[in-house]
Amino acid sequence: MESLAEKLRPKKLSQIVGQKHIVGENKILNNLVKNKKIFNIIFYGKSGIGKTTLALTLMNELDKRYRLLNATINTKKDFEVVFEEAKMYEDLILIVDEIHRMNKDKQDLLLSFIESGKLTLIGLTSSNPYHAVNPAIRSRCQLIELKEISEEDIFDALDRVKDVYTDLDISYETKKHIARISSGDLRFAYNLVEFCYNSFGNNFNIENIQTINKHTNMYHDKNEDGFYDVISALQKSIRGSDVDASLHYLSRLLSTGEYEILFRRLLVIAYEDIGLANPNLPGRVLDAIISSERLGMPEMSIPLTFAVIDMALSPKSNTSETSYMNALNDLNKNTVMRVPEHIRTNSPNYKYPHNYKNNYVKQQYLPDNIKNSIYYRPGKNKYEQSMYEYNKKIKLDR
């Protein structure tokens, strides 16, 4: 049976809720419809924000032939059927939901059709496409972020429910309450109304709602912080050594169920912000992530809390990141010269360090034009300073 959210799915761009930065007079999507053009696009944003709706509305407005597949549910065979169809109809558009979950086989097939121009892709993802989508696919698409739907937009959208439930009679306060606890997720709001209408009748109230839903939909909070803003806040809080703020943002992220993104970011923080100041910590963070994957919720919160406290209170160093960027910037500025002759493969002039005192012998490793470059400068923490002093000592005492 078709859900309320499906019955209320917009058919025209003018019916889209929110997204005023890309929908409206002289805005991107309206101009595409006006010019009867469509390009490879990836829509990204939180669940329930309307990515699928927007894609289908575009297809309806443009009157385009399209197929909708889900990267998790549909098989490689399903994709192959669409690719065969694309050979017959060059204007075919493929909408791929959860595109960040496509396996390599599907991605390789898809990429060849995008490159040939036989297929136009509209990808949908709740993950950050800069991290989660295959770079080769991503580079061939325009990335468009969908913004969180405001509380006011959801409040207004609830008026559309009467198109389906004509006898609905709920108060202003009840509508405000639904809009507030939905936290930018219109689908959540519609599903809640549908459940309450069929459970409590046409004039259900806040008290009825609270018997089944005591908490705000925590994917985002009522102040409209986006999911990626909360991820960013977690990293900045750990980097800033604020353990209490770090735990606050961890609890918010755990409530979303988007664990894969959280795990990835925790590992990034361990290497980027703590790094060589506490070189054993990344391993402990990875252990906590592995334990969390085996435990599942709610127990996974314990090892992750352990890891976040460990990171927040740890000494910090970003020399791993800055050293790499220094080397990369130098590489981009200079002509790349050949590796010095004495360290090329099978060179007879190579000096094997293990044959010398302290396992060290002076010889040139960098190409001639950058032989004096220095990329790594030790951070002012106990571990890196001890490594630096040891390195100086073996060079002097050889």
Side-chain angles (χ1 to χ4, degrees):
M1 186 174 69
E2 195 175 43
S3 68
L4 176 63
E6 284 297 322
K7 290 175 181 176
L8 294 176
R9 192 187 289 276
K11 301 294 189 296
K12 299 178 181 178
L13 288 176
S14 59
Q15 297 171 337
I16 293 291
V17 176
Q19 313 312 328
K20 295 179 176 62
H21 63 300
I22 54 173
V23 174
E25 188 175 356
N26 291 323
K27 295 297 174 65
I28 299 169
L29 299 186
N30 291 72
N31 286 340
L32 287 178
V33 170
K34 179 181 176 181
N35 295 320
K36 295 183 171 22
K37 294 286 186 181
I38 191 65
F39 301 91
N40 297 314
I41 297 172
I42 293 177
F43 290 123
Y44 67 102
K46 57 162 277 192
S47 295
I49 205 167
K51 299 182 292 293
T52 305
T53 294
L54 199 52
L56 294 177
T57 303
L58 266 178
M59 296 303 97
N60 186 58
E61 290 262 37
L62 289 166
D63 193 24
K64 291 288 188 180
R65 183 189 304 272
Y66 73 90
R67 294 293 177 264
L68 173 61
L69 296 178
N70 184 294
T72 303
I73 298 169
N74 292 106
T75 65
K76 181 181 177 181
K77 183 66 176 176
D78 295 327
F79 280 84
E80 288 174 342
V81 169
V82 175
F83 297 147
E84 287 301 315
E85 187 176 356
K87 294 176 182 177
M88 297 184 286
Y89 306 101
E90 291 193 357
D91 61 343
L92 185 67
I93 297 170
L94 174 60
I95 303 172
V96 181
D97 198 5
E98 297 191 80
I99 191 171
H100 61 284
R101 297 191 184 277
M102 286 188 78
N103 62 33
K104 190 176 185 304
D105 286 347
K106 293 176 187 174
Q107 288 178 11
D108 290 344
L109 280 168
L110 178 59
L111 184 59
S112 65
F113 276 82
I114 295 174
E115 287 181 324
S116 67
K118 293 178 180 176
L119 191 69
T120 301
L121 169 69
I122 297 184
L124 315 174
T125 178
S126 56
S127 294
N128 185 337
Y130 295 97
H131 300 305
V133 176
N134 180 308
I137 293 176
R138 187 180 68 228
S139 68
R140 289 161 175 80
C141 298
Q142 300 302 313
L143 306 184
I144 300 179
E145 181 181 10
L146 271 62
K147 305 292 187 181
E148 186 175 354
I149 303 171
S150 71
E151 190 173 311
E152 292 73 21
D153 284 335
I154 290 183
F155 179 86
D156 292 339
L158 288 173
D159 287 337
R160 293 192 60 211
V161 175
K162 295 199 75 168
D163 294 344
V164 178
Y165 300 144
T166 55
D167 62 339
L168 184 68
D169 185 23
I170 57 175
S171 68
Y172 174 91
E173 290 75 18
T174 300
K175 284 172 59 182
K176 287 291 289 184
H177 180 74
I178 294 170
R180 182 180 65 80
I181 67 172
S182 297
S183 298
D185 188 334
L186 183 58
R187 184 170 57 206
F188 177 93
Y190 284 155
N191 289 343
L192 181 59
V193 169
E194 182 175 29
F195 185 88
C196 290
Y197 178 86
N198 287 284
S199 299
F200 305 111
N202 69 323
N203 61 349
F204 62 88
N205 54 36
I206 294 174
E207 186 177 343
N208 296 142
I209 295 171
Q210 289 177 332
T211 63
I212 59 167
N213 198 302
K214 298 184 188 300
H215 304 289
T216 301
N217 178 24
M218 286 297 292
Y219 202 105
H220 302 262
D221 71 7
K222 63 182 180 181
N223 295 319
E224 298 184 289
D225 288 339
F227 178 77
Y228 299 108
D229 290 338
V230 181
I231 281 280
S232 175
L234 173 68
Q235 180 162 9
K236 290 180 172 71
S237 299
I238 292 173
R239 182 186 294 150
S241 301
D242 189 326
V243 65
D244 298 305
S246 301
L247 292 171
H248 167 75
Y249 292 116
L250 172 66
S251 66
R252 283 172 62 170
L253 290 164
L254 283 175
S255 71
T256 70
E258 292 286 344
Y259 307 132
E260 185 180 339
I261 300 172
L262 173 60
F263 294 160
R264 187 186 306 120
R265 184 56 65 97
L266 289 176
L267 277 176
V268 168
I269 297 168
Y271 283 102
E272 180 181 339
D273 293 307
I274 288 90
L276 288 167
N278 189 349
N280 293 323
L281 184 140
R284 295 199 296 273
V285 172
L286 181 58
D287 286 343
I289 290 170
I290 293 170
S291 298
S292 299
E293 290 175 328
R294 292 185 178 182
L295 290 170
M297 280 296 280
E299 289 84 358
M300 69 187 295
S301 62
I302 300 170
L304 291 181
T305 297
F306 178 99
V308 165
I309 293 173
D310 197 3
M311 287 193 286
L313 298 181
S314 172
K316 309 294 191 297
S317 171
N318 70 339
T319 55
S320 295
E321 181 188 23
T322 57
S323 300
Y324 170 73
M325 293 308 299
N326 289 338
L328 182 62
N329 290 336
D330 206 15
L331 179 66
N332 291 333
K333 285 188 299 184
N334 292 285
T335 301
V336 179
M337 296 186 68
R338 287 201 70 183
V339 170
E341 185 277 331
H342 59 280
I343 59 170
R344 293 176 198 165
T345 306
N346 300 322
S347 171
N349 300 316
Y350 173 59
K351 296 177 182 178
Y352 188 59
H354 295 293
N355 291 337
Y356 295 83
K357 184 180 179 181
N358 296 327
N359 302 309
Y360 173 79
V361 61
K362 187 174 182 179
Q363 62 186 325
Q364 180 183 327
Y365 292 96
L366 282 169
D368 288 340
N369 64 327
I370 56 170
K371 65 181 181 180
N372 296 318
S373 295
I374 297 174
Y375 304 128
Y376 171 71
R377 289 180 171 81
K380 295 181 179 180
N381 57 77
K382 185 177 179 180
Y383 185 83
E384 288 186 84
Q385 287 297 317
S386 67
M387 286 198 304
Y388 177 67
E389 292 301 324
Y390 173 75
N391 198 254
K392 274 202 310 184
K393 182 177 183 301
I394 63 170
K395 291 179 180 179
L396 291 171
D397 188 30
R398 63 182 187 275

